[in-house]
Amino acid sequence: MSDNIHINIIERYRLWAANNPSIIQDVEIFLRGFSYFLTGYIKESVVLSEFVYSLAQLISVLHTRVVMRNSSISSSLVSVLEDFLRVVKCVEVFLEIAALRLGGPAARWMLLISLQIFKAIIKLIILKKSGKILLPLDQERRQSVTQTYKNQYYTLPCSGRRIRTIQAAPAVYARTWEPPETGKDHRAGFLEPLQYLGETLYLVKPVLHLAAVGRYGEQAWTPFILAITLDFTSQGLLGSKVESREHKEEVLRRWFAMANYCLRSPFYDKKSKFVILGVLRCIERCLPIGGSVVASFREYLPEYQKIYHYIWVQD
């Protein structure tokens, strides 16, 4: 009886969400904007701000899971593990800040180590099952990529000939007059042994970095050098042979994400801190409109830089 009631509630919610698709998005936008407001204008609001932001992300994840459970989201082991990672990603920053406020640095580091080991194990299982590079846990992005490939062409039922759709046709000067691709690049992309090693290094890097921090200290150069060396090695191995478009885009995204090393200790504290703060002060003085926003960001930057999951976690 209770199972039937539960199913009816889910079905009613799915029907309501299908008829009112913008309401959930409006709620998410409001909560995220409200979290930014709390950060910039209410003193000692970091925990509350992150709680509100985590709530917005959880609503988005749960909404997507409930609405699309029977369509594009499968119930395979990989899908279930990815859902676990999405939930952890939604609350990890809030848990880190709450652990620091309630239990001090020791509780924070215990939480960080536990979360990173848990995430590394799950990601390694996903890597073993899929054999492909792990993409960011962005369901909307994955659906858009899949839909893009799906809408590029259609197949004639009798001859089997592929015809490019009007929407997918390039400009006249860029046309090659060749048959459209069948999405092979999207389905391909299985990692070769060296690429598999590179992806494994990338997945275990947070655990190795935290182990080095525990051994040498947070302000030591050894954990920083270890992390950046693992990143460069992983990127070199993963980029040795790129066949899939998704693979290429993910490798490029990780290259850009390495700009976060400018905000990572000890490089930030000893090298880039004064340059970054100086640039922000200059922008704040030069902007007639929006200077208060830059000032709020500059004041929040020290807090942001102390949060491990903002600075060191790239997934």
Side-chain angles (χ1 to χ4, degrees):
M1 183 68 179
S2 60
D3 293 339
N4 293 332
I5 295 176
H6 179 70
I7 294 174
N8 290 333
I9 293 175
I10 293 178
E11 293 299 332
R12 289 180 181 178
Y13 175 81
R14 187 180 291 112
L15 180 62
W16 173 83
N19 295 328
N20 303 275
S22 62
I23 294 180
I24 296 297
Q25 294 179 356
D26 293 340
V27 171
E28 295 172 18
I29 293 173
F30 170 77
L31 289 175
R32 292 180 182 180
F34 186 57
S35 69
Y36 298 144
F37 171 81
L38 292 175
T39 301
Y41 296 98
I42 299 181
K43 188 176 181 181
E44 297 295 333
S45 62
V46 178
V47 177
L48 181 60
S49 172
E50 291 300 336
F51 173 76
V52 174
Y53 190 80
S54 299
L55 181 62
Q57 291 181 302
L58 280 174
I59 290 175
S60 177
V61 170
L62 294 177
H63 170 76
T64 303
R65 183 65 185 177
V66 170
V67 171
M68 309 191 71
R69 182 187 61 183
N70 295 329
S71 56
S72 63
I73 298 181
S74 66
S75 58
S76 63
L77 175 61
V78 172
S79 178
V80 173
L81 293 177
E82 287 179 344
D83 285 338
F84 275 116
L85 290 178
R86 288 189 182 95
V87 173
V88 172
K89 182 177 176 60
C90 290
V91 300
E92 59 187 6
V93 176
F94 170 71
L95 292 178
E96 177 184 350
I97 297 176
L100 179 62
R101 296 296 177 89
L102 297 177
R108 171 179 177 255
W109 283 107
M110 287 296 297
L111 175 70
L112 290 178
I113 294 173
S114 301
L115 282 179
Q116 294 309 315
I117 293 176
F118 173 75
K119 290 170 62 177
I121 293 174
I122 290 182
K123 289 179 180 180
L124 289 174
I125 295 175
I126 295 176
L127 176 62
K128 178 68 175 177
K129 293 291 184 180
S130 65
K132 298 182 179 181
I133 189 171
L134 269 65
L135 302 177
L137 297 172
D138 188 345
Q139 189 64 35
E140 293 180 359
R141 175 179 177 271
R142 294 187 178 190
Q143 292 170 5
S144 65
V145 171
T146 303
Q147 192 67 22
T148 298
Y149 283 102
K150 184 178 179 180
N151 294 336
Q152 281 183 349
Y153 68 94
Y154 66 92
T155 305
L156 297 178
C158 296
S159 64
R161 183 178 180 182
R162 297 191 306 272
I163 303 297
R164 182 178 285 107
T165 61
I166 296 177
Q167 294 82 357
V172 176
Y173 64 86
R175 294 178 183 175
T176 60
W177 306 105
E178 296 178 356
E181 296 292 336
T182 62
K184 179 180 179 181
D185 291 341
H186 173 62
R187 293 191 296 268
F190 289 97
L191 300 178
E192 296 184 353
L194 287 179
Q195 293 177 320
Y196 195 95
L197 174 61
E199 183 69 359
T200 302
L201 291 176
Y202 180 81
L203 298 182
V204 301
K205 182 197 67 177
V207 178
L208 298 178
H209 171 257
L210 285 176
V213 170
R215 175 64 176 83
Y216 299 101
E218 192 173 1
Q219 292 299 321
W221 283 100
T222 301
F224 181 89
I225 295 174
L226 173 64
I228 198 171
T229 301
L230 290 173
D231 262 332
F232 274 108
T233 305
S234 172
Q235 290 292 88
L237 294 174
L238 287 171
S240 58
K241 183 179 180 181
V242 179
E243 298 180 353
S244 168
R245 177 182 174 183
E246 290 183 350
H247 186 122
K248 182 178 180 180
E249 291 178 353
E250 176 60 15
V251 171
L252 183 62
R253 185 196 70 84
R254 293 181 185 181
W255 277 119
F256 281 111
M258 290 181 67
N260 280 335
Y261 277 99
C262 294
L263 295 174
R264 294 172 177 174
S265 299
F267 186 83
Y268 173 80
D269 299 307
K270 299 179 180 179
K271 302 292 182 181
S272 62
K273 177 179 179 179
F274 301 103
V275 176
I276 294 174
L277 293 180
V279 171
L280 291 177
R281 290 192 185 97
C282 181
I283 296 175
E284 180 183 346
R285 290 194 299 266
C286 295
L287 279 181
I289 300 176
S292 60
V293 177
V294 179
S296 299
F297 177 76
R298 178 176 56 82
E299 293 174 358
Y300 183 67
L301 184 59
E303 291 287 342
Y304 179 90
Q305 196 272 334
K306 295 177 183 177
I307 300 175
Y308 180 88
H309 285 100
Y310 275 152
I311 301 301
W312 284 100
V313 177
Q314 299 178 0
D315 53 4

PDB file of all heavy atoms in Angstrom, residues 240-252:
ATOM      1  N   SER A 240      47.598  11.791 -25.476  1.00  0.00           N
ATOM      2  CA  SER A 240      48.506  11.171 -26.434  1.00  0.00           C
ATOM      3  C   SER A 240      47.785  10.728 -27.702  1.00  0.00           C
ATOM      4  O   SER A 240      48.344  10.760 -28.795  1.00  0.00           O
ATOM      5  CB  SER A 240      49.197   9.956 -25.792  1.00  0.00           C
ATOM      6  OG  SER A 240      48.226   9.004 -25.346  1.00  0.00           O
ATOM      7  N   LYS A 241      46.517  10.323 -27.564  1.00  0.00           N
ATOM      8  CA  LYS A 241      45.729   9.917 -28.721  1.00  0.00           C
ATOM      9  C   LYS A 241      44.269  10.198 -28.420  1.00  0.00           C
ATOM     10  O   LYS A 241      43.673   9.564 -27.559  1.00  0.00           O
ATOM     11  CB  LYS A 241      45.928   8.428 -29.028  1.00  0.00           C
ATOM     12  CG  LYS A 241      45.185   7.956 -30.270  1.00  0.00           C
ATOM     13  CD  LYS A 241      45.437   6.475 -30.525  1.00  0.00           C
ATOM     14  CE  LYS A 241      44.685   6.005 -31.768  1.00  0.00           C
ATOM     15  NZ  LYS A 241      44.897   4.561 -32.033  1.00  0.00           N
ATOM     16  N   VAL A 242      43.708  11.185 -29.115  1.00  0.00           N
ATOM     17  CA  VAL A 242      42.339  11.606 -28.862  1.00  0.00           C
ATOM     18  C   VAL A 242      41.485  11.264 -30.072  1.00  0.00           C
ATOM     19  O   VAL A 242      41.743  11.735 -31.180  1.00  0.00           O
ATOM     20  CB  VAL A 242      42.263  13.123 -28.572  1.00  0.00           C
ATOM     21  CG1 VAL A 242      40.818  13.541 -28.347  1.00  0.00           C
ATOM     22  CG2 VAL A 242      43.116  13.469 -27.355  1.00  0.00           C
ATOM     23  N   GLU A 243      40.489  10.400 -29.869  1.00  0.00           N
ATOM     24  CA  GLU A 243      39.584  10.016 -30.950  1.00  0.00           C
ATOM     25  C   GLU A 243      38.176  10.551 -30.741  1.00  0.00           C
ATOM     26  O   GLU A 243      37.469  10.840 -31.694  1.00  0.00           O
ATOM     27  CB  GLU A 243      39.540   8.488 -31.073  1.00  0.00           C
ATOM     28  CG  GLU A 243      40.875   7.853 -31.434  1.00  0.00           C
ATOM     29  CD  GLU A 243      40.768   6.349 -31.534  1.00  0.00           C
ATOM     30  OE1 GLU A 243      39.691   5.828 -31.179  1.00  0.00           O
ATOM     31  OE2 GLU A 243      41.739   5.703 -31.957  1.00  0.00           O
ATOM     32  N   SER A 244      37.767  10.679 -29.513  1.00  0.00           N
ATOM     33  CA  SER A 244      36.407  11.100 -29.203  1.00  0.00           C
ATOM     34  C   SER A 244      36.348  12.601 -28.988  1.00  0.00           C
ATOM     35  O   SER A 244      37.256  13.201 -28.400  1.00  0.00           O
ATOM     36  CB  SER A 244      35.906  10.364 -27.953  1.00  0.00           C
ATOM     37  OG  SER A 244      34.715  10.944 -27.475  1.00  0.00           O
ATOM     38  N   ARG A 245      35.264  13.196 -29.437  1.00  0.00           N
ATOM     39  CA  ARG A 245      35.066  14.626 -29.207  1.00  0.00           C
ATOM     40  C   ARG A 245      34.918  14.923 -27.723  1.00  0.00           C
ATOM     41  O   ARG A 245      35.466  15.914 -27.216  1.00  0.00           O
ATOM     42  CB  ARG A 245      33.820  15.083 -29.978  1.00  0.00           C
ATOM     43  CG  ARG A 245      33.468  16.546 -29.763  1.00  0.00           C
ATOM     44  CD  ARG A 245      32.213  16.906 -30.523  1.00  0.00           C
ATOM     45  NE  ARG A 245      31.785  18.256 -30.212  1.00  0.00           N
ATOM     46  CZ  ARG A 245      30.681  18.817 -30.702  1.00  0.00           C
ATOM     47  NH1 ARG A 245      29.914  18.127 -31.540  1.00  0.00           N
ATOM     48  NH2 ARG A 245      30.341  20.038 -30.375  1.00  0.00           N
ATOM     49  N   GLU A 246      34.160  14.096 -27.012  1.00  0.00           N
ATOM     50  CA  GLU A 246      33.999  14.288 -25.573  1.00  0.00           C
ATOM     51  C   GLU A 246      35.337  14.185 -24.852  1.00  0.00           C
ATOM     52  O   GLU A 246      35.619  14.943 -23.919  1.00  0.00           O
ATOM     53  CB  GLU A 246      33.015  13.253 -25.017  1.00  0.00           C
ATOM     54  CG  GLU A 246      31.581  13.474 -25.445  1.00  0.00           C
ATOM     55  CD  GLU A 246      30.648  12.474 -24.807  1.00  0.00           C
ATOM     56  OE1 GLU A 246      31.152  11.510 -24.191  1.00  0.00           O
ATOM     57  OE2 GLU A 246      29.431  12.635 -24.926  1.00  0.00           O
ATOM     58  N   HIS A 247      36.161  13.229 -25.262  1.00  0.00           N
ATOM     59  CA  HIS A 247      37.487  13.056 -24.673  1.00  0.00           C
ATOM     60  C   HIS A 247      38.319  14.324 -24.869  1.00  0.00           C
ATOM     61  O   HIS A 247      38.955  14.828 -23.940  1.00  0.00           O
ATOM     62  CB  HIS A 247      38.176  11.856 -25.316  1.00  0.00           C
ATOM     63  CG  HIS A 247      39.489  11.490 -24.700  1.00  0.00           C
ATOM     64  ND1 HIS A 247      39.734  10.244 -24.161  1.00  0.00           N
ATOM     65  CD2 HIS A 247      40.639  12.192 -24.518  1.00  0.00           C
ATOM     66  CE1 HIS A 247      40.962  10.208 -23.683  1.00  0.00           C
ATOM     67  NE2 HIS A 247      41.530  11.380 -23.907  1.00  0.00           N
ATOM     68  N   LYS A 248      38.315  14.845 -26.069  1.00  0.00           N
ATOM     69  CA  LYS A 248      39.093  16.042 -26.374  1.00  0.00           C
ATOM     70  C   LYS A 248      38.609  17.241 -25.559  1.00  0.00           C
ATOM     71  O   LYS A 248      39.420  18.001 -25.011  1.00  0.00           O
ATOM     72  CB  LYS A 248      38.996  16.349 -27.869  1.00  0.00           C
ATOM     73  CG  LYS A 248      39.809  17.540 -28.314  1.00  0.00           C
ATOM     74  CD  LYS A 248      39.691  17.748 -29.816  1.00  0.00           C
ATOM     75  CE  LYS A 248      40.517  18.962 -30.261  1.00  0.00           C
ATOM     76  NZ  LYS A 248      40.410  19.168 -31.727  1.00  0.00           N
ATOM     77  N   GLU A 249      37.303  17.407 -25.456  1.00  0.00           N
ATOM     78  CA  GLU A 249      36.752  18.522 -24.692  1.00  0.00           C
ATOM     79  C   GLU A 249      37.076  18.398 -23.205  1.00  0.00           C
ATOM     80  O   GLU A 249      37.356  19.402 -22.533  1.00  0.00           O
ATOM     81  CB  GLU A 249      35.239  18.596 -24.897  1.00  0.00           C
ATOM     82  CG  GLU A 249      34.837  19.018 -26.297  1.00  0.00           C
ATOM     83  CD  GLU A 249      33.332  19.030 -26.481  1.00  0.00           C
ATOM     84  OE1 GLU A 249      32.624  18.571 -25.545  1.00  0.00           O
ATOM     85  OE2 GLU A 249      32.858  19.487 -27.533  1.00  0.00           O
ATOM     86  N   GLU A 250      37.049  17.177 -22.678  1.00  0.00           N
ATOM     87  CA  GLU A 250      37.353  16.984 -21.263  1.00  0.00           C
ATOM     88  C   GLU A 250      38.821  17.251 -20.961  1.00  0.00           C
ATOM     89  O   GLU A 250      39.155  17.869 -19.943  1.00  0.00           O
ATOM     90  CB  GLU A 250      36.966  15.567 -20.841  1.00  0.00           C
ATOM     91  CG  GLU A 250      37.315  15.206 -19.399  1.00  0.00           C
ATOM     92  CD  GLU A 250      36.648  16.106 -18.374  1.00  0.00           C
ATOM     93  OE1 GLU A 250      35.702  16.830 -18.720  1.00  0.00           O
ATOM     94  OE2 GLU A 250      37.092  16.077 -17.209  1.00  0.00           O
ATOM     95  N   VAL A 251      39.718  16.798 -21.844  1.00  0.00           N
ATOM     96  CA  VAL A 251      41.142  17.083 -21.651  1.00  0.00           C
ATOM     97  C   VAL A 251      41.378  18.588 -21.685  1.00  0.00           C
ATOM     98  O   VAL A 251      42.140  19.134 -20.869  1.00  0.00           O
ATOM     99  CB  VAL A 251      41.980  16.374 -22.734  1.00  0.00           C
ATOM    100  CG1 VAL A 251      43.429  16.843 -22.684  1.00  0.00           C
ATOM    101  CG2 VAL A 251      41.915  14.858 -22.536  1.00  0.00           C
ATOM    102  N   LEU A 252      40.725  19.290 -22.606  1.00  0.00           N
ATOM    103  CA  LEU A 252      40.869  20.748 -22.691  1.00  0.00           C
ATOM    104  C   LEU A 252      40.324  21.425 -21.441  1.00  0.00           C
ATOM    105  O   LEU A 252      40.926  22.375 -20.919  1.00  0.00           O
ATOM    106  CB  LEU A 252      40.143  21.259 -23.938  1.00  0.00           C
ATOM    107  CG  LEU A 252      40.260  22.762 -24.222  1.00  0.00           C
ATOM    108  CD1 LEU A 252      41.713  23.150 -24.454  1.00  0.00           C
ATOM    109  CD2 LEU A 252      39.408  23.151 -25.422  1.00  0.00           C
TER     110      LEU A 252
END
